[in-house]
């Protein structure tokens, strides 16, 4: 199922659709922006967003709105949600370099709500947010309250939302149809009113990926653009709940492609999973951990879910691993990346599980 939305391919710039003068730019370091995600604030006037689901919220006044972005590769897409219009957001296609994107010149006078949400992921590059352009007499207002609950998710293309807006019988590799906002993790976080950090990369695995680096080498980065030396400071933000949905790419590359040689034994596969979960547990000793898998073909048979079950069962015998469970999203026979309807179904399962487990 493809959501109908207003797609601004080649988003409008001043050169083609100008704001009425006079205007003002509200710098990105203004205290009234609410940032979410692993965002690089080394330059506070130009924070860098790279992870899927990274977002900026703001409340403002006025009748016009434009956004200033400096995009690394010209491949990123953003949802621009004004006044809660999530079903039909502006979809902004970022051009390479710094540009000003006019979102509207005809807003109703008064107060407005804004969310700028990164649909795409690190492989599409990073984006610097430079601020908002508003009417001269407009202003930013106090931002919305930050959710008290915190949730983090580690995953691959499923978690990123790869191809989820594609037609059921169409391709699912188009960047314009990758929308993390409607991925199961993001939907679940909204369902339980939790702030979410999404640490995902299409094609990544625990033992092997479709590229040279794996999640144990990637999970701790500040910047999501490839394998790099950036380091996230885990003391900055601690989740109450961590969801891990990995092994889909391992299952394909190990069993089908035979790309990991020598082929790991069952015990080695379980141990690799245990090692990664222990790495996360070391960062978050008190968090509830949910080890998930699905809903692509890794759950088509019991083999790979069995590895996850065995790993979790072993850890549950240890004193500091009592808060760990499993959930599996069933494979429905669809041969491509999950579409939004499947993400919503998976989110229903995960939401119910979390509400019971966390008492949320």
């Amino acid at each position: 199922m493809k959501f109908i939305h207003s797609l601004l391919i080649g988003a409008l710039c001043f050169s083609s659709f100008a704001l009425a003068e006079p205007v003002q730019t509200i710098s990105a370091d203004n205290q009234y922006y609410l940032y979410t995600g692993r965002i690089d604030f080394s330059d506070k006037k130009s924070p860098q967003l790279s992870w899927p689901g990274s977002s900026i919220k703001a409340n403002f006044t006025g009748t016009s709105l434009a956004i200033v972005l400096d995009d690394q590769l010209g491949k990123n897409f953003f949802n621009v949600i004004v006044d809660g219009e999530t079903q039909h957001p502006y979809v902004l296609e970022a051009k390479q370099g710094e540009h000003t994107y006019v979102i509207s010149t005809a807003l109703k006078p008064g107060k407005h709500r804004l969310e700028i949400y990164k649909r795409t992921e690190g492989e599409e590059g990073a984006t610097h947010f430079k601020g908002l352009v508003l009417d001269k007499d407009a202003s930013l207002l106090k931002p919305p309250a930050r959710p008290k609950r915190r949730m983090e998710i580690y995953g691959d293309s499923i978690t990123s939302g790869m191809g989820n807006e594609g037609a059921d019988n169409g391709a699912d590799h188009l960047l314009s149809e990758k929308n993390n906002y409607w991925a199961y993790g993001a939907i679940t976080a909204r369902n339980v009113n939790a702030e979410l950090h999404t640490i995902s990369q299409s094609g990544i695995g625990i033992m092997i990926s479709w590229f040279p680096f794996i999640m144990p080498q990637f999970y701790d980065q500040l910047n999501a653009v490839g394998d790099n030396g950036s380091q996230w400071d885990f003391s900055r933000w601690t989740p109450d709940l961590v969801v891990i949905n990995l092994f889909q790419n391992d299952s394909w590359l190990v069993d089908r492609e035979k790309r990991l040689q020598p082929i790991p034994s069952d015990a080695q596969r379980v141990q690799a999973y245990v090692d990664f979960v222990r790495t996360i547990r070391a960062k978050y000793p008190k968090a509830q951990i949910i080890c998930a898998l699905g809903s692509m073909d890794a759950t088509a048979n019991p083999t790979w879910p069995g590895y996850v079950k065995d790993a979790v069962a072993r850890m549950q015998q240890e004193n500091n691993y009592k808060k760990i469970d499993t959930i599996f999203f069933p494979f429905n026979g669809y041969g491509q990346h999950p579409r939004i309807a499947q993400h919503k179904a998976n989110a229903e399962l995960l939401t119910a599980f979390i509400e019971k487990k966390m008492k949320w």
Side-chain angles (χ1 to χ4, degrees):
M1 175 179 179
K2 183 174 180 179
F3 270 60
I4 301 172
H5 55 258
S6 301
L7 184 59
L8 296 185
I9 298 295
L12 300 171
C13 299
F14 275 139
S15 59
S16 60
F17 190 60
L19 291 170
E21 295 288 349
V23 294
Q24 60 173 319
T25 299
I26 309 297
S27 175
D29 62 348
N30 190 287
Q31 63 177 328
Y32 286 160
Y33 289 117
L34 180 67
Y35 291 94
T36 297
R38 288 189 185 179
I39 297 174
D40 185 350
F41 290 103
S42 55
D43 182 350
K44 293 182 179 180
K45 291 185 179 295
S46 182
Q48 185 185 72
L49 289 69
S50 56
W51 296 97
S54 300
S55 74
I56 306 157
K57 291 183 179 179
N59 295 326
F60 67 98
T61 63
T63 60
S64 65
L65 170 67
I67 301 169
V68 186
L69 300 177
D70 185 353
D71 192 79
Q72 180 181 9
L73 301 176
K75 295 181 178 180
N76 276 305
F77 285 79
F78 293 83
N79 285 341
V80 182
I81 301 167
V82 179
D83 294 334
E85 183 50 83
T86 60
Q87 300 297 316
H88 307 281
Y90 291 102
V91 179
L92 188 158
E93 180 181 11
K95 299 179 180 179
Q96 188 174 30
E98 182 171 331
H99 297 276
T100 299
Y101 302 90
V102 177
I103 304 305
S104 180
T105 60
L107 297 173
K108 293 181 179 180
K111 300 178 182 178
H112 300 283
R113 293 173 291 143
L114 169 68
E115 182 173 14
I116 305 167
Y117 187 103
K118 193 172 189 288
R119 296 162 56 106
T120 42
E121 51 189 324
E123 66 180 3
E124 279 76 65
T127 309
H128 290 271
F129 173 65
K130 299 284 190 173
L132 300 179
V133 182
L134 305 177
D135 297 340
K136 188 65 176 179
D137 58 352
S139 61
L140 283 189
L141 307 174
K142 287 186 178 180
R146 189 180 295 278
K148 293 182 179 180
R149 298 166 179 168
R150 292 179 172 184
M151 175 177 165
E152 188 167 63
I153 189 164
Y154 293 86
D156 49 38
S157 57
I158 303 171
T159 300
S160 292
M162 179 79 170
N164 60 351
E165 286 195 343
D168 286 350
N169 63 339
D172 60 4
H173 66 281
L174 300 178
L175 301 184
S176 61
E177 295 177 345
K178 179 189 292 187
N179 186 359
N180 179 260
Y181 191 87
W182 291 110
Y184 73 95
I187 298 170
T188 298
R190 294 194 295 274
N191 287 346
V192 298
N193 191 29
E195 182 177 44
L196 177 66
H197 284 197
T198 298
I199 313 304
S200 63
Q201 168 65 55
S202 293
I204 205 164
I206 290 179
M207 295 182 294
I208 185 172
S209 306
W210 291 90
F211 35 78
F213 59 92
I214 54 177
M215 183 59 84
Q217 300 166 325
F218 185 67
Y219 81 100
D220 59 351
Q221 294 183 179
L222 169 60
N223 185 302
V225 184
D227 184 20
N228 60 66
S230 66
Q231 285 290 310
W232 169 247
D233 180 358
F234 284 88
S235 68
R236 283 176 52 181
W237 192 88
T238 302
D240 306 298
L241 167 69
V242 176
V243 177
I244 299 171
N245 187 355
L246 293 162
F247 258 6
Q248 170 62 43
N249 290 299
D250 299 83
S251 70
W252 191 279
L253 291 169
V254 172
D255 286 349
R256 290 176 180 259
E257 300 285 325
K258 314 295 184 186
R259 293 198 186 185
L260 189 57
Q261 296 293 333
I263 295 177
S265 66
D266 290 348
Q268 288 171 324
R269 301 176 195 202
V270 172
Q271 187 62 52
Y273 197 91
V274 168
D275 290 344
F276 180 67
V277 175
R278 283 178 172 161
T279 298
I280 300 302
R281 171 58 79 208
K283 300 295 185 184
Y284 308 129
K286 298 180 180 180
Q288 172 72 43
I289 296 178
I290 298 176
C291 296
L293 187 59
S295 59
M296 293 180 72
D297 62 3
T299 55
N301 63 65
T303 300
W304 287 84
Y307 299 142
V308 177
K309 289 180 181 178
D310 289 349
V312 170
R314 185 199 303 179
M315 288 182 283
Q316 285 174 333
Q317 302 306 310
E318 303 173 20
N319 290 333
N320 60 334
Y321 285 94
K322 299 303 181 184
K323 296 171 68 174
I324 185 170
D325 288 280
T326 59
I327 186 172
F328 301 102
F329 304 120
F331 178 58
N332 67 358
Y334 183 65
Q336 299 192 80
H337 287 95
R339 300 316 198 234
I340 289 177
Q342 293 165 271
H343 279 281
K344 292 176 73 174
N346 293 339
E348 287 183 12
L349 293 174
L350 184 57
T351 298
F353 191 90
I354 289 172
E355 287 175 341
K356 182 178 180 180
K357 180 62 59 175
M358 302 293 291
K359 305 294 190 293
W360 284 357

